[in-house]
Amino acid sequence: MDTRKLIETYHLAWTSGDFATARNSLAGDLDFSGSMDTFTNADDFIAALTRFRQMVQSVELLRQFYNETGAALLYDCHTASPAGIIRTAEFFTVTADRISAIRLVFDATILRQAMQA
């Protein structure tokens, strides 16, 4: 599977709630680092992503860039949370036809405050 197809499949899967397909796109030893969490395996990451998806109302993809070994997506997560719309940049590394690393960047200030309340 080429990089673009893999990333598109993953993105569509998680945003539509198809976590089995999303998980199948990931390497088992996924290296994830985000604005609020880090994970060193795909199963723990998918568990957290499943919980996050429950507050997402929709995802609007704004920009996407691909090369042979990775991709970058910019999108807005419209959430039912105090954060409202969360502008997110997601950077992917692909190894052996699976997503091996994800860097997720967004302003987590309001979400952190809501979790402490």
Side-chain angles (χ1 to χ4, degrees), residues 28-100:
D29 61 348
L30 175 72
D31 174 16
F32 174 87
S33 180
S35 296
M36 294 184 67
D37 290 309
T38 59
F39 300 99
T40 57
N41 70 74
D43 294 331
D44 290 347
F45 169 71
I46 286 293
L49 186 59
T50 301
R51 289 189 299 276
F52 174 72
R53 179 63 183 90
Q54 293 173 0
M55 79 169 81
V56 174
Q57 297 169 322
S58 65
V59 177
E60 178 184 0
L61 186 59
L62 303 171
R63 296 282 187 269
Q64 48 194 324
F65 304 94
Y66 302 91
N67 67 24
E68 297 79 32
T69 60
L73 303 181
L74 179 67
Y75 53 88
D76 286 343
C77 286
H78 298 258
T79 70
S81 78
I85 299 171
I86 303 171
R87 173 126 327 142
T88 304
E90 193 167 22
F91 302 90
F92 300 90
T93 302
V94 174
T95 307
D97 293 328
R98 293 286 181 267
I99 298 167
S100 58

Side-chain angles (χ1 to χ4, degrees), residues 8-19 21-22 53 56 59:
E8 288 175 341
T9 297
Y10 165 78
H11 184 77
L12 179 61
W14 89 257
T15 59
S16 66
D18 178 359
F19 294 103
T21 298
R53 179 63 183 90
V56 174
V59 177

